[in-house]
Amino acid sequence: MTASPPAPGASLPPSRGVQTIAFAVATSLGIGYVPVAPGTFGSAAGLVLWALLPASAAPALVVTAVVFVIGVWAASMVERRSGRTDPGIVVIDEVLGMLVTLLFNPAGWGGAVLGFLLFRLFDVIKPYPANRFERLHGGLGIMADDAMAGVYANIVLRLALLIAPAGLL
């Protein structure tokens, strides 16, 4: 017995290879499977990615935009395949949040660590409108609330960099 073709307009399920890529992206190459505090480890992965980027703003902006777009796709697919809303294994949103936190901030390692702590704080408490963005459908909601938490952390880090003694952060 052969399978019948899909109905017109119906989409085919993604291939195993596409699913593997989506899970690899969404979990940041498996970091999301860490059994304790995967979001914190995902944020640390974002910090490492930031450290690998050139110091100029343009590449950081492009990488941040690419992580957002690919993250929405991957998180949506993992959410659909797992049958759970905002599955805990998805940590690409934390990577994005860290990139947004450090974007256009002239921070050294001290500032980057402060940015990490600020992002984790805002990601946990999710002040308005981050808590509203979390309700958006699929991967967009998964990514948008962390992007907003990153915006808050970016602003507070920027203020800290302005008032900190020279060279401290």
Side-chain angles (χ1 to χ4, degrees):
M1 177 181 252
T2 61
S4 60
S11 61
L12 294 172
S15 70
R16 186 177 298 288
V18 170
Q19 290 178 43
T20 299
I21 291 168
F23 272 79
V25 168
T27 65
S28 296
L29 302 176
I31 291 170
Y33 294 108
V34 172
V36 177
T40 300
F41 282 94
S43 299
L47 192 57
V48 170
L49 179 57
W50 168 81
L52 295 173
L53 291 173
S56 62
L61 181 60
V62 169
V63 168
T64 302
V66 168
V67 167
F68 179 78
V69 170
I70 292 177
V72 168
W73 166 78
S76 292
M77 184 166 292
V78 170
E79 189 175 69
R80 268 193 314 274
R81 300 301 297 169
S82 70
R84 295 187 333 212
T85 302
D86 197 357
I89 61 171
V90 174
V91 295
I92 191 68
D93 52 334
E94 275 80 17
V95 173
L96 173 72
M98 279 306 304
L99 292 175
V100 171
T101 297
L102 298 169
L103 191 62
F104 305 127
N105 265 321
W109 274 105
V113 170
L114 177 59
F116 175 87
L117 295 172
L118 289 168
F119 170 68
R120 293 307 304 143
L121 173 70
F122 287 115
D123 189 29
V124 169
I125 63 174
K126 295 197 189 315
Y128 180 84
N131 58 356
R132 299 288 178 144
F133 291 162
E134 189 175 40
R135 298 177 191 162
L136 294 172
H137 180 71
L140 182 60
I142 293 171
M143 299 297 286
D145 73 298
D146 286 70
M148 192 67 228
V151 168
Y152 288 131
N154 182 296
I155 292 167
V156 173
L157 177 59
R158 188 170 301 278
L159 293 172
L161 291 169
L162 286 174
I163 63 172
L168 182 64
L169 299 175

